[in-house]
Amino acid sequence: MEYRTKEEQVADHLREAILSGHFPRGTRLKQAEVAKTLQISITPVREALKLLEAEGYISGSSYKGAVVAPLDVAASVETLNLRILLEGQLIRHAVERATTEDLRLIRGFADEFAEAVRRKDSAEARASNYRFHKQMYATANLPQTLHFVQILWARYPFDVINRVEGRAVTAVEEHEELLRAMIEGDLAGAMLALRRHIEAGWATVKDETEIGGDHPPAVRVRRTPRRGKEDKRNE
């Protein structure tokens, strides 16, 4: 069983709360209120906030305290490439190492997400989405890679994606495709499903923001497949 310190538990609670939209961007996080909610002392909360500041989830200020970091859309372009790279590594190892119990847990979070989407409970859907991906990637047993991915999530515009009508319904289908490939042990299928899932979210971001179309080819959502030596090396 994984051992986590109190500050790590608090940090993970706050990551989920931020990514789920419970604490929107710009929200001030008060140590005393967080400690009271979690029924713990101030110390682990203070240490958790320092960790989240280092990861980019919050920004610190001697006047305002800890504030959920604003979105930097321009930085999201680079983040997209890194997400595809690192999350691809995690799903590869997750497919290879997933046990029946791992798949049961992942299935449970996928069902929770689908049910929240059906009820149109946006906050719960975002929280369940976080748990689904975290549980799936934790199965890979690559804690450092997962840590870097969580840092990338702090810089990604999930709030933009999740407020677009219809996106969550499509995400349910994408989760099912991804989980089906994992259950079947289909490594190529799982990696392809993951990439499509990430890129579909990015397409939503492009539609909802002022991001231009002059990005490097690696981040274009719709690409014309090319055949050649370079592609074969990457297969």
Side-chain angles (χ1 to χ4, degrees), residues 20-82:
S20 71
H22 180 72
F23 294 131
R25 298 182 188 276
T27 299
R28 181 183 176 188
L29 300 181
K30 300 179 180 179
Q31 295 180 17
E33 291 183 359
V34 174
K36 182 178 180 180
T37 299
L38 299 179
Q39 298 183 335
I40 57 176
S41 66
I42 286 287
T43 301
V45 174
R46 183 184 302 117
E47 294 305 310
L49 291 176
K50 290 180 182 178
L51 175 60
L52 293 181
E53 182 178 2
E55 292 178 353
Y57 281 84
I58 63 175
S59 56
S61 167
S62 57
Y63 299 101
K64 293 185 178 181
V67 177
V68 178
L71 172 64
D72 181 353
V73 174
S76 297
V77 176
E78 181 179 6
T79 302
L80 171 71
N81 284 328
L82 291 172

Side-chain angles (χ1 to χ4, degrees), residues 150-170:
Q150 289 180 305
I151 293 174
L152 294 175
W153 287 347
R155 293 160 170 79
Y156 207 68
F158 289 107
D159 49 339
V160 175
I161 295 171
N162 287 292
R163 70 171 176 245
V164 175
E165 184 176 357
R167 173 56 198 155
V169 174
T170 305

Side-chain angles (χ1 to χ4, degrees), residues 74-105:
S76 297
V77 176
E78 181 179 6
T79 302
L80 171 71
N81 284 328
L82 291 172
R83 281 195 63 199
I84 291 173
L85 176 65
L86 295 181
E87 292 181 43
Q89 289 298 312
L90 288 171
I91 198 65
R92 174 190 294 273
H93 286 267
V95 170
E96 294 173 347
R97 298 179 180 179
T99 65
T100 301
E101 177 62 15
D102 291 327
L103 294 173
R104 185 188 69 79
L105 291 172

